[in-house]
Structures are given as C-alpha cells and as structure tokens.
Amino acid sequence: MAQRSIPQALRPSPQALAFILEQSGVQASAQQVHQLWTYHQWLRRHNVELNLTRVHNFHNMVRKLYLDSILPGLMIPLPSPLLDLGTGPGMPGIPLKIFHPGLELVLGESRQHRVRFLHEVCEALGLEKVFIEGRRIGPSYDRPVRGVITRAVESMAETMERIEGCLEKGGRLIFMKGPHCDHELERAVRLFNGRFALMEDRAYLIPGTPHRRRLVVFVRLSERAALVRQAASAAGRHKRIASFDNVDFKMLQRALTPKGIRKEGLCLVSGAKVIRDVLKFQPNLVRAWISVAGGPAPPSACREHVTWLELERPLFEALDIFGTGHPLLHVQVPAIPSWTPADGLSLGCTLFVPFQDPENVGAVVRTAAAFGVTAVVLLKESAHPFHPKAVRASAGAVFRLRMFFGPSASDLPTTLPMIALSQDGRPLNQVNFPESFGLLAGLEGPGLPEPWRRRAVAIPMAPSMESLNAATATAVALYEWRRRIG
C-alpha cells in the first residue's frame, strides 16, 4: 500500500511526529510521543551551542534519527543492561528507552558537554534505570552488561576490542551500520574468531526513505576479563607487574635478545594472526599471556597452565617493540636438533640459511614454508629464528617447519648436492634440480664462501643492478624449483 504524504499543514508537532511513526509501522502511545517530542525540542534548543546533530529538517530528524534508533528494538530482542557505546546526544539509546521503558540503559559518551546534556535531558524525560558513563570506554571498563549497541563510525574490530571488559559471555554486540560494511565485517570475524560469533546480518531500509542500513549482531563466546582475572588469581596464574626491576619483567626482556633466547629457551610472539596460530597449533608451548594493565584477558584457547601477566603501560611498550598495542605471548622455543653433513639430505629441498639479519631469516623461513621446503638448516652465521623480528617476519612459519642448527657455511663439504646462489654464477634456468638437494644463499654483504662461489648459479637481472636481497634471491630460486616440479 502506498504511503500517504504528510499534509503541508501538519508542521513540526507531536501530531506530526506520531503521524510519521505510524506511517513507518511504529505504533506509539501518547506518553511515548510526548517523551520523544520533548527529546526533539531539547535537541533543537541546544544543537547550535553543542553541535549535537547535523540533521536539522524535522521530517529527516524523525526518520534518520529517532525512527532509525527505534528500529533495532523491533527487529531483535534487546538485551538488558544495554550499553549505548558512543551515544553522542543519546542515540540510539534514548529513543530505545522510550519505547522499552523496562530496559536498563548505560549511555557511554566521553565529550563532557554532551554528558551534561544527557543528564539534563534524561531528567527532563523522567527516564529511570539510565546510567550515564561520562568517559571513554576501553578494555579496562568492567561494568557488566548483557548487550552493547552502537551506531558510531569506528570499525567493528575496534569496538570489539573496547568492550571486552564489560560485555558478558553470551551477551550481544549490535552494530547499526551502513550498507557497505562487508570488509570490516569480514575482518572482525577473522580477528575475533573464538571470542565472538556472528549471529545476524540483516539489511533493511529506513521506512519512508531510500536509506539502506545493516543490523549486524555478534554473540560473545569468551568471558569478561574481570572474571578471567579472578579465576587466574585464585589459581595463582595472574600477576600485575609495575616495576622495571621486577624479576618476571627482566625475564621477559631477555626474550628479546638472541643470548636470552638461547639461554632460557623462551621467546616473545607478537601479532594477532601469529598469536592465533600458535594458540591453535602449539598451545602447549605457551607460558604466559602478556597484556597492558586492564587489557584483553587470555582467550579460551590458552591452556590452564598459562599465566596472565598484566604490565603497566611503559613496561608493556618496552616489550611491544613493533608497537602493535595487542597482547604478546611468552612461548617456549621448540627443540631444534643439530644437523651434520653426515646426516645427508632428505627428499626435496633442504634450505641452508646463513643470514645474520633476523628479518631476513624470518622472511626466508616463511618463503620456505610456502614453497614446500623439506627442512631448514640454520648455519652458525644465522640469526636466531625465534628472535622477535624473525618470528614476526615468518608469520609464524618458524613454529611449523622442521629446523636444524648446522655448521658454518665455510664448513659445508663441497660433496653435498648443493645449489648455491651468487651473481657470479651461471643462469638459474640452466640448472637441473636433483630429487634431493640443498639450497644455499650467501651472507648479506660477503656472499658465499669461495669454494661455493666457483660453483654458484645466478638469477638473471638487469645489468644496472648489482645484486638482489639475499632472502629475495632465495625466494626466486625456490619459486623456480617449485614451478618445475609442479
């Protein structure tokens, strides 16, 4: 049925407000119309002074602000207590409260002039069971709520990070989004897999307008940080560290150095994806979950033996050398056996790594995993593969590949079936790859030892360039090998 147009004589008034709502399928009581009209008047009265909304036309305000705020309560059950995160002048929270008077509501807003407005308008409307949180809500905010709703512009992943301290397990996270949010939705699902699950993704139109919207709802699978902290503390698996002189902090610092890693067999892992992979495939190696004080709690993937270390921000930043801002893992280094020439080579390609730059080591290990290298032998010249820079550059591949410690590059016997890379050698496309062979690149700078240089192969390149980065040259050779064997 076609909607009737609003009569011209029906100027902004409670009657016009009720008319628009009715035409949009929303039945409002006289009390609800009165409260919503009062709210509208407060917005208009204070908007110039406080910059509460950029929508000024009455009919647009009713549809784009009030009706849009009311619609989620018609489409899904509203959890209570409900936190309206980034509520601004009170939307969607205040219209939802007017139409669901039994709802317990928390209005979260950090801008103080808007906080004062919220206190005054809620009092004028006579709203009960409304708490106004006048500060920025982050992971350390631990007031428990059963639901969070937001129409703020930040990404879904950023919001998920912020409300981990307050949204209860089983609670609903409700996003009011525009139609083009697929990329951020996919990213949120990927990053928070195991902590949140997507429940609903519903497209709709604001009635009486061409404006398309999306209502995206997640359910929380993990516990709030406060409850995890209580359980970990009771089990003696939680520590708060505030001093650079703390023994545990000094142990963590040693995990940033090759000497410390070799001596204690522990390393630090950073990066959300690498951490997820380690927790999924090597959970027994994890010794501690490290967060900034008030940060995210260990996920359920952390085993019972894992300690939660909460560090004051300066301490955490000293360990977070890549500036990720995300928690770190303190991980036991997997056992790396020794290899000698007498052990021979396995079927396929064995990669010999002499690189002294840990980022080159990590990059080439990642490449080796991608092209199906059988094993990696880390020569004496090589940086430690579990140096934080190597772990990060490898994207976690150091935890998946077979690795060995080997002799110096100069001690490798020339009787090994080895393909060595140097710009002085014959072209790579003229080389036959044996069924079992080693691939050896030169050190950054000095290149290959002399005996190997005389037998080396080269990657053709423009005459104006002297050489390739060692890890890049290795990647090209591995690609050529993989291309030939299919």
Side-chain angles (χ1 to χ4, degrees):
M1 180 182 295
Q3 290 188 341
R4 292 177 293 152
S5 62
I6 300 173
Q8 290 292 326
L10 204 54
R11 297 182 182 278
S13 65
Q15 292 77 20
L17 176 60
F19 183 88
I20 297 172
L21 292 178
E22 181 183 354
Q23 290 300 297
S24 302
V26 177
Q27 298 297 321
S29 68
Q31 170 71 5
Q32 290 165 341
V33 171
H34 171 72
Q35 288 180 305
L36 203 54
W37 175 251
T38 302
Y39 179 51
H40 171 74
Q41 290 179 305
W42 271 78
L43 280 175
R44 294 306 299 261
R45 187 181 311 137
H46 295 280
N47 192 42
V48 173
E49 172 195 356
L50 303 179
N51 189 27
L52 300 173
T53 175
R54 296 180 181 179
V55 183
H56 301 137
N57 176 273
F58 170 69
H59 297 159
N60 285 339
M61 290 182 75
V62 175
R63 287 192 170 94
K64 294 183 181 179
L65 300 182
Y66 315 143
L67 178 58
D68 189 34
S69 295
I70 294 166
L71 288 176
L74 302 179
M75 290 190 282
I76 59 172
L78 292 177
S80 181
L82 178 67
L83 166 64
D84 178 5
L85 183 66
T87 187
M91 286 176 279
I94 288 178
L96 282 174
K97 176 66 177 177
I98 290 171
F99 280 79
H100 301 270
L103 181 69
E104 292 184 43
L105 183 66
V106 180
L107 298 174
E109 175 58 47
S110 61
R111 289 164 288 190
Q112 292 308 301
H113 65 282
R114 295 190 176 189
V115 171
R116 289 189 293 272
F117 171 82
L118 291 171
H119 279 289
E120 292 170 0
V121 77
C122 287
E123 183 177 354
L125 295 174
L127 300 181
E128 298 179 349
K129 295 184 179 179
V130 176
F131 179 79
I132 298 166
E133 191 65 77
R135 61 185 171 112
R136 187 183 186 280
I137 291 172
S140 61
Y141 180 71
D142 61 0
R143 183 188 182 102
V145 295
R146 292 293 299 167
V148 175
I149 191 167
T150 181
R151 65 200 299 266
V153 296
E154 75 175 0
S155 73
M156 296 182 189
E158 289 174 313
T159 298
M160 288 171 158
E161 199 77 61
R162 286 176 61 189
I163 54 85
E164 283 209 298
C166 63
L167 183 61
E168 293 183 341
K169 183 178 181 179
R172 303 301 193 256
L173 175 53
I174 306 162
F175 291 100
M176 299 172 65
K177 286 287 182 180
H180 306 298
C181 62
D182 295 290
H183 176 72
E184 65 172 287
L185 175 56
E186 291 168 4
R187 182 171 181 268
V189 169
R190 183 178 70 254
L191 292 180
F192 288 83
N193 180 40
R195 288 188 278 175
F196 289 86
L198 180 64
M199 282 188 64
E200 189 161 359
D201 178 10
R202 183 186 300 192
Y204 64 97
L205 283 174
I206 301 176
T209 79
H211 299 297
R212 295 184 296 152
R213 302 283 281 160
R214 295 263 288 275
L215 193 71
V216 179
V217 183
F218 285 86
V219 60
R220 181 163 189 183
L221 305 177
S222 56
E223 290 284 7
R224 289 192 306 117
L227 298 181
V228 177
R229 187 180 293 108
Q230 290 172 10
S233 296
R237 293 185 289 103
H238 174 265
K239 295 181 181 180
R240 188 78 175 253
I241 302 177
S243 170
F244 283 93
D245 294 325
N246 180 276
V247 173
D248 291 313
F249 178 74
K250 289 184 175 181
M251 177 181 64
L252 297 175
Q253 278 188 309
R254 291 194 291 273
L256 294 174
T257 67
K259 182 179 179 180
I261 296 169
R262 287 191 176 91
K263 182 177 180 180
E264 300 186 8
L266 295 164
C267 68
L268 289 181
V269 175
S270 66
K273 181 183 183 303
V274 182
I275 285 174
R276 285 198 307 273
D277 287 348
V278 172
L279 289 174
K280 182 176 181 180
F281 299 110
Q282 303 278 2
N284 291 329
L285 296 179
V286 180
R287 292 294 169 262
W289 171 269
I290 306 162
S291 74
V292 70
S300 56
C302 284
R303 299 288 177 86
E304 291 184 356
H305 66 270
V306 174
T307 298
W308 181 7
L309 302 176
E310 287 192 273
L311 277 60
E312 293 301 316
R313 185 164 296 279
L315 280 72
F316 181 83
E317 290 177 349
L319 300 179
D320 184 22
I321 60 175
F322 303 107
T324 66
H326 294 284
L328 312 171
L329 292 183
H330 197 209
V331 176
Q332 179 181 326
V333 172
I336 302 177
S338 296
W339 176 90
T340 67
D343 297 323
L345 302 177
S346 300
L347 188 66
C349 175
T350 299
L351 178 63
F352 290 81
V353 178
F355 305 148
Q356 297 172 326
D357 183 338
E359 291 186 346
N360 276 343
V361 172
V364 82
V365 168
R366 181 176 184 176
T367 301
F371 290 124
V373 162
T374 305
V376 172
V377 176
L378 301 148
L379 300 175
K380 278 190 176 179
E381 295 85 353
S382 172
H384 200 287
F386 288 94
H387 186 286
K389 291 182 179 180
V391 174
R392 184 175 175 84
S394 81
V398 290
F399 289 98
R400 299 193 297 273
L401 268 180
R402 292 173 62 223
M403 294 194 296
F404 300 85
F405 285 130
S408 170
S410 59
D411 292 333
L412 291 172
T414 55
T415 53
L416 283 173
M418 189 81 73
I419 295 175
L421 299 175
S422 173
Q423 282 308 111
D424 302 326
R426 57 195 174 100
L428 179 64
N429 59 7
Q430 298 178 9
V431 173
N432 293 320
F433 292 97
E435 286 191 353
S436 299
F437 73 100
L439 180 64
L440 172 66
L443 278 77
E444 304 98 325
L448 291 171
E450 186 57 36
W452 290 110
R453 189 174 300 171
R454 292 194 297 267
R455 306 170 42 183
V457 299
I459 296 169
M461 53 191 297
S464 59
M465 292 301 296
E466 182 180 341
S467 64
L468 286 171
N469 167 274
T472 302
T474 305
V476 172
L478 288 174
Y479 168 77
E480 177 66 11
W481 164 66
R482 193 70 195 179
R483 184 187 68 80
R484 293 197 207 174
I485 66 173

